[in-house]
């Protein structure tokens, strides 16, 4: 679906090389739960999500955020076949996890915002545009096997 | 949806810092919008949209000034943006989906320029505030 140019791929891979998945993972999932509190509906088993500081400091949130971003890292190695890469995860999110694909779009935009926080000036409008393509492609791939 | 006291405090105090870079923030926000979401350019066939263009800078300033008006009247955003709301409803008629896109690009601009201020709590407050502004601007659409 998304056609990644050589420039897109370069922007995505070079920025990703500088990302600390440990930090970014917790930050990304945490902010999703803080900014869009209704997304907490999927995480009843995570313990305290009662305040922004509880959420951002919650070790289960951090661990799960790392899991999610690690998966994204795999996708970055396969930008030309996101649907293939995420086929099984798509089925999982539909059949077992019952996640509305709208949540993938929300998470993608939170990730873009976190990258802006972490990289500042380096996260230029051009780099952002490549990353928006990336997160849109991932969201689409994750929703591709819904039925 | 209305802003809590805490959220208002966060917005107002950050705005003091933000307003010193208002013009460049506006320009950068629009650049991000047009690059990430090329379809938004359809509203500006009459503009030179090259980075650095005078029209882009002027329009960016306009947009951020309006956000500033909303901040200054954060307890009565509806009243403060009433004329702008009518403009968008009857003249500009920008499809409502685009307010989310512009809001996101403004957030990214703020995040990149004020990383230490843009905590999770601030992120939430700004997202909500811009959502309220967007609602006000589309409330007269039909």
């Amino acid at each position: 679906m998304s056609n990644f140019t050589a420039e897109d791929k370069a922007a995505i891979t070079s920025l990703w090389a500088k990302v600390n998945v440990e930090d970014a993972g917790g930050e990304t999932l945490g902010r999703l739960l803080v900014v869009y509190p209704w997304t907490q509906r999927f995480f009843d088993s995570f313990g305290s999500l009662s305040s922004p500081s509880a959420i951002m400091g919650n070790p289960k949130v951090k661990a799960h955020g790392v899991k999610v971003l690690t998966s994204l890292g795999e996708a970055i190695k396969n930008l030309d076949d996101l649907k293939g890469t995420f086929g099984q995860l798509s089925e999982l999110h539909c059949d077992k996890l019952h996640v509305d694909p709208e949540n993938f779009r929300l998470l993608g935009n939170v990730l873009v915002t976190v990258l802006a926080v972490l990289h500042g000036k380096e996260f230029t409008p051009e780099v952002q545009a490549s990353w928006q393509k990336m997160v849109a492609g991932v969201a689409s791939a994750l929703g591709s096997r819904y039925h | 949806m209305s802003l809590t006291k805490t959220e208002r405090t966060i917005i107002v105090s950050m705005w003091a810092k933000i307003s010193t870079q208002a013009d460049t923030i506006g320009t950068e926000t629009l650049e991000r919008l047009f690059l990430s979401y090329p379809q938004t350019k359809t509203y500006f066939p009459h503009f030179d949209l090259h980075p650095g263009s005078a029209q882009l800078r002027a329009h960016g300033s306009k947009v951020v000034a309006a956000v500033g008006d909303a901040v200054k009247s954060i307890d009565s955003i509806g009243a403060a943006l009433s004329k702008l709301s009518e403009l968008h409803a009857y003249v500009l008629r920008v499809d409502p989906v685009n307010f989310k896109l512009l809001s996101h690009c403004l957030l990214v601009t703020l995040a990149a320029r004020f990383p230490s201020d843009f905590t999770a709590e601030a992120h939430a407050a700004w997202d909500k505030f811009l959502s309220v502004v967007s609602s006000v601007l589309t409330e007269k659409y039909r």
Side-chain angles (χ1 to χ4, degrees):
Chain A
M1 220 181 158
S2 289
N3 261 331
F4 296 98
T5 64
E7 287 80 20
D8 288 328
K9 291 181 186 179
I12 292 164
T13 51
S14 66
L15 197 80
W16 191 250
K18 301 180 196 175
V19 169
N20 179 319
V21 171
E22 286 288 316
D23 295 337
E27 206 50 46
T28 302
L29 188 63
R31 281 175 186 252
L32 180 76
L33 301 175
V34 169
V35 179
Y36 309 108
W38 55 94
T39 59
Q40 294 170 22
R41 68 191 300 282
F42 301 107
F43 302 104
D44 282 339
S45 64
F46 273 28
S48 179
L49 300 177
S50 56
S51 68
S53 48
I55 292 169
M56 300 311 284
N58 184 313
K60 284 188 173 176
V61 170
K62 191 170 194 173
H64 196 70
V66 171
K67 206 179 190 180
V68 170
L69 282 207
T70 303
S71 176
L72 219 90
E74 285 310 300
I76 289 174
K77 297 178 194 158
N78 288 294
L79 288 174
D80 291 325
D81 184 26
L82 290 176
K83 285 210 163 85
T85 307
F86 282 117
Q88 284 196 304
L89 274 175
S90 179
E91 287 172 5
L92 179 78
H93 280 77
C94 173
D95 300 329
K96 295 268 151 53
L97 303 177
H98 312 294
V99 176
D100 178 345
E102 179 59 25
N103 291 286
F104 308 143
R105 286 173 256 289
L106 289 180
L107 184 71
N109 279 339
V110 172
L111 173 60
V112 164
T113 310
V114 169
L115 291 176
V117 170
L118 295 176
H119 298 277
K121 263 190 167 153
E122 234 185 302
F123 200 67
T124 62
E126 290 79 7
V127 170
Q128 179 189 351
S130 298
W131 273 91
Q132 297 291 168
K133 262 185 177 177
M134 160 72 188
V135 299
V138 170
S140 173
L142 276 174
S144 63
R145 292 205 194 166
Y146 272 58
H147 59 98
Chain B
M1 185 168 43
S2 70
L3 300 163
T4 64
K5 229 176 174 178
T6 312
E7 285 160 352
R8 287 175 221 214
T9 307
I10 291 173
I11 304 284
V12 170
S13 65
M14 274 186 73
W15 189 254
K17 245 187 180 180
I18 289 166
S19 56
T20 61
Q21 298 178 29
D23 287 355
T24 46
I25 284 172
T27 313
E28 186 182 322
T29 297
L30 290 179
E31 278 174 10
R32 290 182 182 278
L33 181 72
F34 296 137
L35 275 173
S36 284
Y37 308 106
Q39 70 273 20
T40 57
K41 294 189 288 185
T42 56
Y43 291 97
F44 301 94
H46 53 300
F47 265 30
D48 166 16
L49 295 178
H50 290 105
S53 94
Q55 283 179 310
L56 206 58
R57 268 183 286 127
H59 199 68
S61 297
K62 238 182 192 173
V63 169
V64 172
V67 173
D69 288 341
V71 175
K72 282 175 217 131
S73 301
I74 202 163
D75 295 325
S76 54
I77 297 175
L81 298 188
S82 175
K83 282 264 136 65
L84 213 56
S85 179
E86 285 171 7
L87 183 74
H88 282 78
Y90 307 132
V91 181
L92 302 177
R93 293 170 289 184
V94 172
D95 190 283
V97 75
N98 294 288
F99 293 97
K100 279 193 177 175
L101 304 182
L102 181 67
S103 298
H104 172 63
C105 289
L106 177 55
L107 283 190
V108 170
T109 303
L110 296 182
R113 286 176 178 240
F114 306 99
S116 49
D117 298 281
F118 207 73
T119 60
E121 216 179 342
H123 181 168
W126 274 97
D127 193 284
K128 196 173 166 185
F129 169 71
L130 292 175
S131 179
V132 170
V133 170
S134 302
S135 290
V136 166
L137 292 178
T138 54
E139 75 185 353
K140 300 176 187 180
Y141 268 41
R142 56 177 170 171

